[in-house]
Amino acid sequence: MRAVICTKYGLPDVLQIQEVEKPTPKENEILVKIIATAVNSGDVRVRGLAVEGFMKIIMRLVVGISKPRKPILGTVFSGVVETVGNKVSKFKVGDKVFGMTGFKFGTYAEYITVNQNSNVIEMPKNATFEEAVAIIFGGQTAIYFLEKAKIAEKVNSKVLIIGATGSVGAAAVQIAKHHQAEITAVCSSEGRKLISELGVNNIILYDKEDFTKQTDKFDIIFDAVGKTTKKECRNIFNENGVYKSVSSGYASETIQQLQLLKELFEKGELNAVIDKTFQMDEIIDAHRYVDSGRKKGNVVLKINE
Ligand SMILES: NC(=O)c1ccc[n+]([C@@H]2O[C@H](COP(=O)([O-])OP(=O)(O)OC[C@H]3O[C@@H](n4cnc5c(N)ncnc54)[C@H](OP(=O)(O)O)[C@@H]3O)[C@@H](O)[C@H]2O)c1
């Protein structure tokens, strides 16, 4: 099968398409023919070893010393079950599934095997493969941090989302809306149109205005791009206000988050925000685009038709 191999840490041209062995499912695994994956901020961070100082050592220890130990990057997939192991009961051949592999990576490839009990479920019934794959990464991260902020317990909370146009931010806006929050979004002038389309009226353009100097106060501040500190936001908290940032700890992915994303998509409460779609052969261009840090929502990579 064809797969994108990350040959070493570096610029996007370290990525090469190579022929590798097609995996065979073990007894509890399914073999998925991947139709689409996405190029996410996490992938380009790993490829470029793009972390500061001491974190570089930690990342080399976790991901691989001189190059990624798992050379096929990519963490999200949507596709069709092609074969199943002899103990698989949750899925059958032909099922359309979507999921997240996390630190196991491996989705920039024509096929992947995943355990039937891992972070994989049936795709939203009304989603295309591109839509399904685009809601996973930002969606799971947004749910994780907003749940940490206990959004479900705060009725009609006032929520500030900083970096609302990224993959995490655009999902966070929609998850917060699902919880009936009153949302204010911080984005650039370029991102304004997208945020309006997501139904948010209170928009602060960070290239025009310093949002930390406004008079409104918030119950939850979620920095979805990790550009602020809690201290910088100290004047815009309500009493008992909570601050969460993608820079403070790692999100863990659960099957419940994936189920919620499926449910919200099926109900029309969650849209897939897709900025661009690239073909597998265009992987280097896709990584260059995501490296810019300017993408709006998600970048999809088509693997199979
Ligand atoms: N902790 C975790 O577990 C976890 C999980 C997932 C992601 N992350 C991290 O979360 C961050 C966001 O991830 P992502 O996938 O959403 O990234 P992304 O999609 O690449 O985010 C890019 C977006 O951020 C906007 N942006 C850039 N600078 C900004 C600023 N100063 N203020 C407001 N918006 C700004 C950009 O629009 P403009 O340029 O137009 O402003 C663009 O729309 C990344 O650093 C990623 O590594 C952490």
Side-chain angles (χ1 to χ4, degrees):
M1 69 169 183
R2 292 169 86 224
V4 176
I5 302 294
C6 183
T7 56
K8 56 183 176 181
Y9 296 119
L11 294 172
D13 55 12
V14 300
L15 301 171
Q16 286 176 9
I17 295 187
Q18 294 181 11
E19 268 306 313
V20 299
E21 203 178 323
K22 184 175 167 183
T24 310
K26 299 195 182 82
E27 55 186 19
N28 261 311
E29 289 181 339
I30 54 175
L31 175 72
V32 180
K33 178 180 181 181
I34 297 181
I35 306 294
T37 178
V39 178
N40 289 312
S41 54
D43 309 352
V44 303
R45 194 181 283 278
V46 171
R47 186 219 71 231
L49 202 69
V51 287
E52 298 298 315
F54 185 64
M55 283 307 291
K56 274 204 182 359
I57 299 172
I58 303 284
M59 191 147 148
R60 282 186 194 272
L61 288 173
V62 175
V63 184
I65 301 294
S66 59
K67 60 182 180 184
R69 215 170 277 127
K70 294 185 189 298
I72 304 173
L73 301 182
T75 60
V76 292
F77 63 92
S78 61
V80 182
V81 175
E82 190 169 282
T83 54
V84 299
N86 56 20
K87 289 208 172 140
V88 169
S89 53
K90 286 189 172 173
F91 300 99
K92 58 181 187 324
V93 171
D95 283 351
K96 293 179 175 179
V97 294
F98 76 142
M100 150 87 88
T101 59
F103 277 110
K104 290 190 174 151
F105 301 100
T107 68
Y108 292 177
E110 288 184 311
Y111 292 90
I112 192 167
T113 49
V114 291
N115 189 292
Q116 63 168 341
N117 297 314
S118 67
N119 201 2
V120 55
I121 60 171
E122 226 179 284
M123 261 171 49
K125 296 203 182 335
N126 51 342
T128 63
F129 291 103
E130 289 87 341
E131 286 170 334
V133 88
I135 61 176
I136 305 169
F137 177 82
Q140 293 207 287
T141 309
I143 293 171
Y144 174 85
F145 283 103
L146 290 174
E147 283 183 352
K148 286 269 164 210
K150 300 200 177 353
I151 191 164
E153 296 168 23
K154 299 182 198 310
V155 182
N156 299 326
S157 55
K158 290 187 75 170
V159 177
L160 180 73
I161 295 166
I162 303 162
T165 53
S167 172
V168 179
V173 164
Q174 300 182 79
I175 303 295
K177 260 178 91 180
H178 164 69
H179 288 286
Q180 279 90 41
E182 188 188 310
I183 301 161
T184 300
V186 177
C187 64
S188 68
S189 303
E190 207 183 282
R192 175 181 215 141
K193 183 169 168 281
L194 167 63
I195 298 305
S196 302
E197 283 166 4
L198 293 178
V200 176
N201 298 321
N202 304 328
I203 303 174
I204 303 176
L205 304 176
Y206 73 82
D207 47 2
K208 298 257 163 65
E209 195 185 331
D210 180 351
F211 63 87
T212 64
K213 303 237 159 62
Q214 59 172 319
T215 50
D216 264 1
K217 307 266 189 251
F218 299 93
D219 303 304
I220 296 174
I221 297 179
F222 176 42
D223 184 345
V225 275
K227 300 280 184 188
T228 62
T229 61
K230 185 175 181 183
K231 199 169 164 201
E232 283 164 359
C233 299
R234 64 188 175 278
N235 294 325
I236 52 171
F237 278 115
N238 270 333
E239 202 183 332
N240 303 322
V242 181
Y243 174 88
K244 293 285 165 199
S245 166
V246 286
S247 301
S248 52
Y250 285 99
S252 47
E253 302 93 24
T254 66
I255 208 156
Q256 288 78 13
Q257 295 161 351
L258 208 51
Q259 265 151 354
L260 178 61
L261 293 169
K262 171 177 156 71
E263 190 186 309
L264 294 182
F265 191 90
E266 286 176 346
K267 284 202 270 184
E269 283 189 50
L270 176 69
N271 289 318
V273 180
I274 299 175
D275 182 339
K276 281 180 193 270
T277 299
F278 292 85
Q279 301 300 314
M280 191 180 188
D281 291 336
E282 300 171 307
I283 184 68
I284 293 176
D285 291 336
H287 264 245
R288 282 196 186 117
Y289 187 61
V290 177
D291 262 350
S292 74
R294 309 297 312 268
K295 76 174 162 67
K296 306 291 178 277
N298 299 279
V299 164
V300 169
L301 191 70
K302 274 304 286 291
I303 301 289
N304 281 297
E305 286 307 319

Short mmCIF file of all heavy atoms in Angstrom, two decimals, residues 40-42 45 137-138 141 144-145 162-170 186-191 194 206 211 223-227 245-253 290 292-298, ligand 1:
data_model
loop_
_atom_site.label_atom_id
_atom_site.label_comp_id
_atom_site.label_asym_id
_atom_site.label_seq_id
_atom_site.Cartn_x
_atom_site.Cartn_y
_atom_site.Cartn_z
N ASN A 40 -3.20 17.96 10.68
CA ASN A 40 -3.51 18.78 11.84
C ASN A 40 -2.26 19.45 12.40
O ASN A 40 -1.14 19.04 12.09
CB ASN A 40 -4.17 17.90 12.91
CG ASN A 40 -5.56 17.48 12.51
OD1 ASN A 40 -6.36 18.31 12.08
ND2 ASN A 40 -5.86 16.20 12.61
N SER A 41 -2.51 20.43 13.29
CA SER A 41 -1.40 21.16 13.91
C SER A 41 -0.46 20.19 14.64
O SER A 41 0.76 20.37 14.63
CB SER A 41 -1.94 22.20 14.88
OG SER A 41 -2.81 21.60 15.82
N GLY A 42 -1.04 19.14 15.23
CA GLY A 42 -0.22 18.16 15.95
C GLY A 42 0.75 17.43 15.01
O GLY A 42 1.90 17.17 15.37
N ARG A 45 3.62 19.67 14.04
CA ARG A 45 4.48 19.87 15.21
C ARG A 45 5.44 18.68 15.37
O ARG A 45 6.63 18.86 15.59
CB ARG A 45 3.61 20.02 16.48
CG ARG A 45 4.36 20.56 17.66
CD ARG A 45 3.45 20.65 18.87
NE ARG A 45 2.54 21.76 18.85
CZ ARG A 45 2.87 23.00 19.22
NH1 ARG A 45 4.09 23.28 19.60
NH2 ARG A 45 1.97 23.96 19.19
N PHE A 137 -10.31 15.97 15.18
CA PHE A 137 -9.15 16.47 15.97
C PHE A 137 -9.53 17.68 16.84
O PHE A 137 -9.38 17.65 18.06
CB PHE A 137 -8.01 16.82 15.01
CG PHE A 137 -6.79 17.40 15.67
CD1 PHE A 137 -5.84 16.57 16.27
CD2 PHE A 137 -6.59 18.77 15.69
CE1 PHE A 137 -4.71 17.12 16.88
CE2 PHE A 137 -5.46 19.31 16.31
CZ PHE A 137 -4.52 18.49 16.90
N GLY A 138 -10.03 18.72 16.18
CA GLY A 138 -10.42 19.90 16.95
C GLY A 138 -11.58 19.60 17.88
O GLY A 138 -11.65 20.09 19.00
N THR A 141 -10.49 17.70 21.06
CA THR A 141 -9.72 18.61 21.93
C THR A 141 -10.63 19.63 22.59
O THR A 141 -10.53 19.90 23.79
CB THR A 141 -8.63 19.33 21.10
OG1 THR A 141 -7.88 18.37 20.37
CG2 THR A 141 -7.70 20.14 21.99
N TYR A 144 -12.68 18.08 25.32
CA TYR A 144 -11.85 17.79 26.50
C TYR A 144 -11.68 19.04 27.36
O TYR A 144 -11.94 19.02 28.57
CB TYR A 144 -10.47 17.26 26.04
CG TYR A 144 -9.50 17.09 27.18
CD1 TYR A 144 -9.49 15.91 27.93
CD2 TYR A 144 -8.61 18.10 27.53
CE1 TYR A 144 -8.62 15.75 29.00
CE2 TYR A 144 -7.74 17.96 28.60
CZ TYR A 144 -7.75 16.78 29.33
OH TYR A 144 -6.89 16.63 30.39
N PHE A 145 -11.27 20.16 26.75
CA PHE A 145 -10.98 21.35 27.55
C PHE A 145 -12.26 22.01 28.08
O PHE A 145 -12.28 22.49 29.21
CB PHE A 145 -10.12 22.35 26.76
CG PHE A 145 -8.67 21.94 26.70
CD1 PHE A 145 -8.14 21.36 25.55
CD2 PHE A 145 -7.84 22.08 27.81
CE1 PHE A 145 -6.81 20.96 25.50
CE2 PHE A 145 -6.51 21.67 27.78
CZ PHE A 145 -5.99 21.11 26.62
N ILE A 162 -10.64 32.20 22.46
CA ILE A 162 -9.51 32.90 21.81
C ILE A 162 -8.95 31.96 20.74
O ILE A 162 -8.68 30.79 21.01
CB ILE A 162 -8.42 33.23 22.87
CG1 ILE A 162 -9.01 34.08 23.99
CG2 ILE A 162 -7.23 33.92 22.21
CD1 ILE A 162 -8.16 34.09 25.26
N GLY A 163 -8.79 32.49 19.52
CA GLY A 163 -8.33 31.62 18.44
C GLY A 163 -9.45 30.77 17.89
O GLY A 163 -9.30 29.57 17.64
N ALA A 164 -10.59 31.43 17.66
CA ALA A 164 -11.81 30.69 17.31
C ALA A 164 -11.82 30.14 15.88
O ALA A 164 -12.71 29.38 15.53
CB ALA A 164 -13.02 31.60 17.53
N THR A 165 -10.83 30.49 15.06
CA THR A 165 -10.87 30.04 13.67
C THR A 165 -10.01 28.81 13.41
O THR A 165 -9.99 28.29 12.29
CB THR A 165 -10.42 31.16 12.70
OG1 THR A 165 -9.15 31.65 13.15
CG2 THR A 165 -11.43 32.28 12.66
N GLY A 166 -9.26 28.34 14.42
CA GLY A 166 -8.45 27.14 14.21
C GLY A 166 -9.33 25.90 14.25
O GLY A 166 -10.56 25.98 14.43
N SER A 167 -8.69 24.76 14.11
CA SER A 167 -9.44 23.50 14.18
C SER A 167 -10.09 23.35 15.55
O SER A 167 -11.29 23.03 15.67
CB SER A 167 -8.45 22.35 13.93
OG SER A 167 -9.04 21.12 14.15
N VAL A 168 -9.32 23.62 16.61
CA VAL A 168 -9.86 23.50 17.97
C VAL A 168 -10.87 24.62 18.23
O VAL A 168 -11.96 24.38 18.77
CB VAL A 168 -8.71 23.55 19.01
CG1 VAL A 168 -9.27 23.46 20.43
CG2 VAL A 168 -7.69 22.44 18.76
N GLY A 169 -10.52 25.84 17.84
CA GLY A 169 -11.39 27.00 18.11
C GLY A 169 -12.75 26.88 17.44
O GLY A 169 -13.79 27.12 18.08
N ALA A 170 -12.75 26.51 16.16
CA ALA A 170 -14.04 26.43 15.43
C ALA A 170 -14.92 25.33 16.02
O ALA A 170 -16.15 25.47 16.07
CB ALA A 170 -13.77 26.16 13.95
N VAL A 186 -12.59 35.47 19.68
CA VAL A 186 -11.44 36.31 19.31
C VAL A 186 -10.79 35.70 18.07
O VAL A 186 -10.43 34.52 18.08
CB VAL A 186 -10.40 36.38 20.46
CG1 VAL A 186 -9.19 37.21 20.03
CG2 VAL A 186 -11.03 36.93 21.73
N CYS A 187 -10.70 36.52 17.01
CA CYS A 187 -10.07 36.04 15.78
C CYS A 187 -9.47 37.24 15.04
O CYS A 187 -9.62 38.37 15.49
CB CYS A 187 -11.09 35.32 14.89
SG CYS A 187 -12.42 36.40 14.30
N SER A 188 -8.83 37.00 13.92
CA SER A 188 -8.29 38.10 13.10
C SER A 188 -9.40 38.62 12.18
O SER A 188 -10.44 37.95 12.00
CB SER A 188 -7.13 37.60 12.25
OG SER A 188 -7.61 36.68 11.28
N SER A 189 -9.16 39.76 11.54
CA SER A 189 -10.14 40.30 10.58
C SER A 189 -10.42 39.27 9.49
O SER A 189 -11.55 39.13 9.02
CB SER A 189 -9.60 41.58 9.93
OG SER A 189 -9.29 42.52 10.91
N GLU A 190 -9.37 38.53 9.13
CA GLU A 190 -9.51 37.51 8.07
C GLU A 190 -10.47 36.38 8.49
O GLU A 190 -11.10 35.76 7.66
CB GLU A 190 -8.12 36.92 7.84
CG GLU A 190 -7.87 36.36 6.48
CD GLU A 190 -6.47 35.75 6.45
OE1 GLU A 190 -5.49 36.51 6.34
OE2 GLU A 190 -6.39 34.52 6.54
N GLY A 191 -10.55 36.15 9.79
CA GLY A 191 -11.36 35.03 10.27
C GLY A 191 -12.80 35.40 10.57
O GLY A 191 -13.63 34.53 10.85
N LEU A 194 -15.84 33.54 8.81
CA LEU A 194 -16.09 32.17 9.29
C LEU A 194 -16.84 32.19 10.63
O LEU A 194 -17.81 31.45 10.82
CB LEU A 194 -14.76 31.41 9.44
CG LEU A 194 -14.83 30.09 10.21
CD1 LEU A 194 -15.73 29.08 9.49
CD2 LEU A 194 -13.45 29.48 10.41
N TYR A 206 -8.53 40.53 17.01
CA TYR A 206 -7.32 40.76 17.81
C TYR A 206 -6.32 41.67 17.09
O TYR A 206 -5.44 42.25 17.71
CB TYR A 206 -6.67 39.44 18.25
CG TYR A 206 -5.95 38.65 17.18
CD1 TYR A 206 -4.65 38.96 16.79
CD2 TYR A 206 -6.56 37.56 16.56
CE1 TYR A 206 -3.98 38.21 15.82
CE2 TYR A 206 -5.91 36.82 15.59
CZ TYR A 206 -4.61 37.15 15.23
OH TYR A 206 -3.97 36.42 14.27
N PHE A 211 -8.30 42.37 23.39
CA PHE A 211 -9.49 41.80 24.06
C PHE A 211 -9.34 41.74 25.57
O PHE A 211 -10.33 41.61 26.28
CB PHE A 211 -9.84 40.42 23.48
CG PHE A 211 -8.78 39.38 23.69
CD1 PHE A 211 -8.75 38.62 24.84
CD2 PHE A 211 -7.81 39.16 22.73
CE1 PHE A 211 -7.77 37.66 25.04
CE2 PHE A 211 -6.83 38.21 22.92
CZ PHE A 211 -6.80 37.47 24.08
N ASP A 223 -8.51 29.46 25.67
CA ASP A 223 -7.54 29.85 24.64
C ASP A 223 -7.27 28.62 23.77
O ASP A 223 -6.53 27.71 24.16
CB ASP A 223 -6.25 30.37 25.27
CG ASP A 223 -5.28 30.87 24.21
OD1 ASP A 223 -5.50 30.55 23.02
OD2 ASP A 223 -4.30 31.56 24.56
N ALA A 224 -7.88 28.61 22.60
CA ALA A 224 -7.80 27.45 21.70
C ALA A 224 -6.56 27.47 20.82
O ALA A 224 -6.34 26.54 20.04
CB ALA A 224 -9.06 27.38 20.84
N VAL A 225 -5.74 28.52 20.94
CA VAL A 225 -4.46 28.53 20.19
C VAL A 225 -3.25 28.68 21.10
O VAL A 225 -2.11 28.68 20.62
CB VAL A 225 -4.38 29.63 19.10
CG1 VAL A 225 -5.00 29.18 17.81
CG2 VAL A 225 -4.92 30.95 19.57
N GLY A 226 -3.49 28.80 22.38
CA GLY A 226 -2.37 28.85 23.33
C GLY A 226 -1.51 30.09 23.20
O GLY A 226 -0.29 30.01 23.33
N LYS A 227 -2.15 31.23 22.95
CA LYS A 227 -1.37 32.46 22.75
C LYS A 227 -1.38 33.37 23.98
O LYS A 227 -0.76 34.43 23.96
CB LYS A 227 -1.93 33.26 21.56
CG LYS A 227 -1.92 32.53 20.25
CD LYS A 227 -0.55 32.54 19.61
CE LYS A 227 -0.59 31.87 18.23
NZ LYS A 227 0.71 31.69 17.64
N SER A 245 -6.38 26.55 28.62
CA SER A 245 -5.62 26.82 27.39
C SER A 245 -5.10 25.51 26.84
O SER A 245 -4.73 24.61 27.62
CB SER A 245 -4.43 27.75 27.70
OG SER A 245 -3.54 27.75 26.61
N VAL A 246 -5.01 25.42 25.51
CA VAL A 246 -4.44 24.21 24.90
C VAL A 246 -2.97 24.04 25.27
O VAL A 246 -2.41 22.96 25.08
CB VAL A 246 -4.57 24.24 23.34
CG1 VAL A 246 -5.99 24.00 22.90
CG2 VAL A 246 -4.01 25.53 22.78
N SER A 247 -2.37 25.10 25.79
CA SER A 247 -0.96 25.00 26.21
C SER A 247 -0.80 24.41 27.59
O SER A 247 0.32 24.13 28.02
CB SER A 247 -0.31 26.38 26.23
OG SER A 247 -0.38 26.94 24.97
N SER A 248 -1.92 24.27 28.31
CA SER A 248 -1.78 23.74 29.67
C SER A 248 -2.24 22.29 29.73
O SER A 248 -3.40 22.00 30.03
CB SER A 248 -2.55 24.61 30.67
OG SER A 248 -3.87 24.78 30.23
N GLY A 249 -1.38 21.40 29.35
CA GLY A 249 -1.69 19.97 29.42
C GLY A 249 -2.20 19.41 28.09
O GLY A 249 -2.51 20.18 27.17
N TYR A 250 -2.21 18.10 28.04
CA TYR A 250 -2.63 17.42 26.80
C TYR A 250 -4.04 16.88 26.93
O TYR A 250 -4.41 16.32 27.95
CB TYR A 250 -1.66 16.28 26.47
CG TYR A 250 -0.36 16.80 25.93
CD1 TYR A 250 0.76 16.91 26.74
CD2 TYR A 250 -0.26 17.23 24.61
CE1 TYR A 250 1.95 17.42 26.25
CE2 TYR A 250 0.92 17.74 24.11
CZ TYR A 250 2.02 17.84 24.93
OH TYR A 250 3.18 18.36 24.45
N ALA A 251 -4.79 17.05 25.86
CA ALA A 251 -6.15 16.50 25.83
C ALA A 251 -6.05 14.98 25.67
O ALA A 251 -5.18 14.49 24.96
CB ALA A 251 -6.91 17.08 24.65
N SER A 252 -6.92 14.24 26.35
CA SER A 252 -6.97 12.81 26.06
C SER A 252 -8.28 12.53 25.34
O SER A 252 -9.31 13.15 25.62
CB SER A 252 -6.81 11.97 27.32
OG SER A 252 -7.64 12.46 28.33
N GLU A 253 -8.18 11.62 24.39
CA GLU A 253 -9.33 11.37 23.52
C GLU A 253 -10.12 10.17 24.03
O GLU A 253 -9.51 9.17 24.42
CB GLU A 253 -8.89 11.08 22.09
CG GLU A 253 -8.08 12.17 21.47
CD GLU A 253 -6.58 11.96 21.66
OE1 GLU A 253 -6.16 10.81 21.86
OE2 GLU A 253 -5.85 12.96 21.64
N VAL A 290 -0.39 24.04 6.53
CA VAL A 290 -0.72 23.95 7.96
C VAL A 290 0.39 24.58 8.81
O VAL A 290 0.13 25.22 9.83
CB VAL A 290 -1.00 22.49 8.37
CG1 VAL A 290 -1.28 22.36 9.87
CG2 VAL A 290 -2.20 21.95 7.58
N SER A 292 1.82 27.19 8.26
CA SER A 292 1.64 28.66 8.28
C SER A 292 0.94 29.11 9.56
O SER A 292 1.05 30.25 9.97
CB SER A 292 0.83 29.12 7.06
OG SER A 292 -0.54 28.76 7.25
N GLY A 293 0.22 28.21 10.19
CA GLY A 293 -0.53 28.57 11.41
C GLY A 293 -1.73 29.46 11.12
O GLY A 293 -2.33 30.02 12.02
N ARG A 294 -2.11 29.57 9.85
CA ARG A 294 -3.20 30.48 9.45
C ARG A 294 -4.44 29.75 8.95
O ARG A 294 -5.40 30.38 8.52
CB ARG A 294 -2.73 31.44 8.33
CG ARG A 294 -1.43 32.20 8.57
CD ARG A 294 -1.47 33.14 9.74
NE ARG A 294 -2.59 34.02 9.85
CZ ARG A 294 -2.66 35.25 9.34
NH1 ARG A 294 -1.68 35.72 8.62
NH2 ARG A 294 -3.71 36.00 9.57
N LYS A 295 -4.40 28.43 8.93
CA LYS A 295 -5.55 27.73 8.34
C LYS A 295 -6.82 28.03 9.12
O LYS A 295 -6.77 28.33 10.32
CB LYS A 295 -5.31 26.21 8.26
CG LYS A 295 -5.42 25.45 9.58
CD LYS A 295 -5.29 23.97 9.30
CE LYS A 295 -4.97 23.15 10.52
NZ LYS A 295 -6.01 23.08 11.54
N LYS A 296 -7.93 27.96 8.43
CA LYS A 296 -9.23 28.20 9.08
C LYS A 296 -9.94 26.85 9.17
O LYS A 296 -10.30 26.26 8.16
CB LYS A 296 -10.06 29.19 8.25
CG LYS A 296 -9.33 30.52 7.95
CD LYS A 296 -9.15 31.36 9.20
CE LYS A 296 -8.39 32.65 8.96
NZ LYS A 296 -6.93 32.52 8.95
N GLY A 297 -10.08 26.38 10.38
CA GLY A 297 -10.69 25.05 10.54
C GLY A 297 -9.69 23.96 10.17
O GLY A 297 -8.58 23.95 10.70
N ASN A 298 -10.06 23.14 9.20
CA ASN A 298 -9.30 21.91 8.97
C ASN A 298 -8.80 21.74 7.54
O ASN A 298 -9.42 22.24 6.60
CB ASN A 298 -10.20 20.71 9.33
CG ASN A 298 -10.60 20.78 10.79
OD1 ASN A 298 -9.85 20.40 11.66
ND2 ASN A 298 -11.77 21.35 11.05
N1 LIG B 1 -3.11 20.40 24.45
C1 LIG B 1 -3.54 19.58 23.53
O1 LIG B 1 -3.83 18.42 23.78
C2 LIG B 1 -3.73 20.09 22.13
C3 LIG B 1 -4.55 19.40 21.23
C4 LIG B 1 -4.74 19.93 19.96
C5 LIG B 1 -4.09 21.09 19.61
N2 LIG B 1 -3.26 21.70 20.50
C6 LIG B 1 -2.57 22.95 20.17
O2 LIG B 1 -3.57 23.91 20.02
C7 LIG B 1 -3.17 24.90 19.11
C8 LIG B 1 -4.29 25.11 18.12
O3 LIG B 1 -4.51 23.93 17.39
P1 LIG B 1 -5.33 23.99 16.05
O4 LIG B 1 -5.26 22.64 15.47
O5 LIG B 1 -6.64 24.60 16.28
O6 LIG B 1 -4.41 24.97 15.21
P2 LIG B 1 -4.69 25.64 13.80
O7 LIG B 1 -5.95 25.14 13.23
O8 LIG B 1 -3.46 25.52 13.01
O9 LIG B 1 -4.88 27.18 14.26
C9 LIG B 1 -4.66 28.17 13.38
C10 LIG B 1 -5.67 29.29 13.62
O10 LIG B 1 -5.28 30.11 14.71
C11 LIG B 1 -5.53 31.47 14.38
N3 LIG B 1 -4.59 32.31 15.11
C12 LIG B 1 -3.25 32.39 14.93
N4 LIG B 1 -2.73 33.26 15.82
C13 LIG B 1 -3.75 33.75 16.57
C14 LIG B 1 -3.87 34.67 17.65
N5 LIG B 1 -2.79 35.30 18.12
N6 LIG B 1 -5.05 34.91 18.18
C15 LIG B 1 -6.15 34.28 17.72
N7 LIG B 1 -6.13 33.40 16.69
C16 LIG B 1 -4.94 33.13 16.13
C17 LIG B 1 -5.28 31.50 12.88
O11 LIG B 1 -6.03 32.51 12.23
P3 LIG B 1 -5.39 33.96 11.95
O12 LIG B 1 -3.97 33.75 11.58
O13 LIG B 1 -6.25 34.54 10.88
O14 LIG B 1 -5.56 34.63 13.26
C18 LIG B 1 -5.81 30.14 12.42
O15 LIG B 1 -7.18 30.19 12.05
C19 LIG B 1 -1.87 24.40 18.50
O16 LIG B 1 -0.79 25.05 19.13
C20 LIG B 1 -1.86 22.93 18.84
O17 LIG B 1 -0.56 22.42 18.95
C21 LIG B 1 -3.09 21.24 21.76
#
